[in-house]
Amino acid sequence: MPVSRMSGFGLGSPSARRQRLVDAGWITPVEAASLADGAGDPGVLSEDVVGQHRLPLSLVPNVRINGRDLLLPMATEEASVVAGIARVAALLRDGDGVRGAPGARGLAAQILLSGGDAAPWLASRREHLRALLDRDHPQLCAAGGGVEHLAVRGSPVGQSLWIEVRVGDAMGAHAVDRMAETLGRAWETENPGGRVVAAIVSNWPVGEPATVEAEVSIQELARAGRSGGEVAADIVRLCAWAQEDPRRRVTHLKGAMNGIHGVLSAFRQDLRAVDAAALSAVWNDLEGVRLPLWERRGDHLVGAAALPIPCGIVGRGQAAPVLEMLRGLAGIHTGGDLEVVALAAGLLSNLAALQV
């Protein structure tokens, strides 16, 4: 159901807003009840659980991504972030709205070795080991994943094995971690005197990042008595500042992460993994990565971003009814869809923070 320009779902309690969503046909009464109840028993997700420390869950209207109107789920305590995204999303609804594409969804792991030479061992066993790791993780393979690359790397502290894995619709950290342990055990078994020092998932980004872009008419940017042209000029200047000054760049990126975090928190994602990947990608200037930036093109302001967003829609806790409902409202059917929606929220949040 299309969403016309609106500032929200009106005043009143959360229960009244849920009823308006039911009345508008976005959700059913059963789904409204699942929103009220939360995402089930938290004891299945962690240890020593005594309760829940909840964040407010908002559904942001006006958002259009790849030509589809949706409600954007956000779990955040920062009201200004939600309001800012809703405000600028209403300005970017022409055409396809925010356009985006998922990245090449992958994750890596490292196994640090002591003793022996792993290069000839891996060269003679590569396909066997690849099949072994895939066979032990049928759920990951069923979700479109599997081992893509095995290599030996040298360093001053010793050789290491490097695994790159396609993760499909999963985030993949637990499976890739177990793959590293399996490969390490195989090394120790087949190489007497060899020892694994550590076997662990790497948060280094692999594959291509997700990408988003959007444009807005400059006249729509007029704000607080200032013309759209004046506001646009300052946005472009702030972006140039972020490119030149790392002290500004970190805050510029944080403005985007506000939106990314809000979406991924709503979908029970690993925010620490996302932060580690995005920060390392930006600071190391990895190929294909782009800090959220806006530039003037004629009478429009055009923005784009390309960042790794490790996330997934299958795995522990992802079958909760409330998450299934939120994925439906946001048009999320694959892990790649979640990447795009989260990064789109980041681009919108970035623009809202710059439109001072």
Side-chain angles (χ1 to χ4, degrees):
M1 178 180 296
V3 183
S4 59
R5 291 193 184 210
M6 54 195 301
S7 59
F9 298 105
L11 301 176
S13 65
S15 62
R17 294 190 181 97
R18 289 194 294 271
Q19 186 58 51
R20 293 188 188 102
L21 287 168
V22 171
D23 294 342
W26 278 102
I27 62 175
T28 68
V30 172
E31 290 171 333
S34 73
L35 277 174
D37 292 340
D41 179 10
V44 303
L45 299 175
S46 191
E47 301 293 329
D48 299 327
V49 173
V50 296
Q52 295 192 67
H53 193 72
R54 297 185 178 182
L55 289 170
L57 175 64
S58 303
L59 289 174
V60 184
N62 301 318
V63 178
R64 178 176 290 171
I65 299 176
N66 287 331
R68 184 183 185 278
D69 291 312
L70 55 87
L71 295 178
L72 182 70
M74 295 193 69
T76 178
E77 80 290 355
E78 289 196 62
S80 62
V81 172
V82 177
I85 289 178
R87 175 172 55 78
V88 300
L91 306 180
L92 274 68
R93 286 177 45 80
D94 291 341
D96 288 337
V98 181
R99 301 174 297 279
R105 295 176 47 73
L107 202 61
Q110 294 172 287
I111 303 99
L112 181 62
L113 307 175
S114 176
D117 185 358
W121 174 78
L122 181 60
S124 65
R125 305 278 283 163
R126 181 175 277 106
E127 292 309 313
H128 166 76
L129 293 168
R130 188 197 305 267
L132 170 68
L133 298 177
D134 282 346
R135 184 193 66 202
D136 286 350
H137 297 85
Q139 291 181 319
L140 182 70
C141 292
V147 176
E148 191 162 66
H149 182 59
L150 296 170
V152 177
R153 295 188 169 178
S155 77
V157 299
Q159 284 186 325
S160 64
L161 296 169
W162 175 257
I163 313 174
E164 291 184 12
V165 182
R166 300 184 310 277
V167 295
D169 288 329
M171 189 274 182
H174 293 295
V176 175
D177 219 15
R178 292 194 298 272
M179 284 185 176
E181 293 170 358
T182 298
L183 188 58
R185 285 194 299 269
W187 160 258
E188 289 184 332
T189 298
E190 299 178 13
N191 292 272
R195 184 173 67 88
V196 170
V197 179
I200 190 168
V201 67
S202 170
N203 295 112
W204 183 259
V206 296
E208 298 295 321
T211 59
V212 292
E213 61 179 5
E215 61 182 63
V216 58
S217 170
I218 285 176
Q219 66 181 6
E220 295 272 14
L221 295 174
R223 183 168 168 80
R226 303 174 67 229
S227 72
E230 291 172 324
V231 174
D234 281 350
I235 290 173
V236 172
R237 188 175 186 180
L238 288 169
C239 288
W241 188 21
Q243 289 179 292
E244 296 297 327
D245 186 345
R247 294 165 184 80
R248 171 59 193 172
R249 188 180 310 137
V250 65
T251 307
H252 183 93
L253 182 59
K254 195 268 184 181
M257 298 308 293
N258 283 340
I260 293 170
H261 271 212
V263 170
L264 295 182
S265 291
F267 289 103
R268 280 185 176 169
Q269 302 297 308
D270 185 345
L271 303 184
R272 287 81 56 197
V274 175
D275 286 345
L279 287 169
S280 63
V282 170
W283 256 257
N284 288 284
D285 196 24
L286 297 187
E287 184 177 356
V289 170
R290 181 173 182 179
L291 190 72
L293 295 171
W294 296 84
E295 61 182 4
R296 182 163 184 163
R297 295 182 190 170
D299 58 358
H300 283 77
L301 198 67
V302 179
L307 292 173
I309 309 288
C311 60
I313 64 168
V314 298
R316 189 176 64 167
Q318 288 298 312
V322 69
L323 297 185
E324 294 176 359
M325 180 200 62
L326 293 178
R327 287 194 289 267
L329 293 176
I332 293 169
H333 306 290
T334 67
D337 291 338
L338 180 53
E339 279 186 281
V340 170
V341 169
L343 188 55
L347 188 64
L348 294 172
S349 180
N350 173 255
L351 178 59
L354 295 173
Q355 193 187 7
V356 293

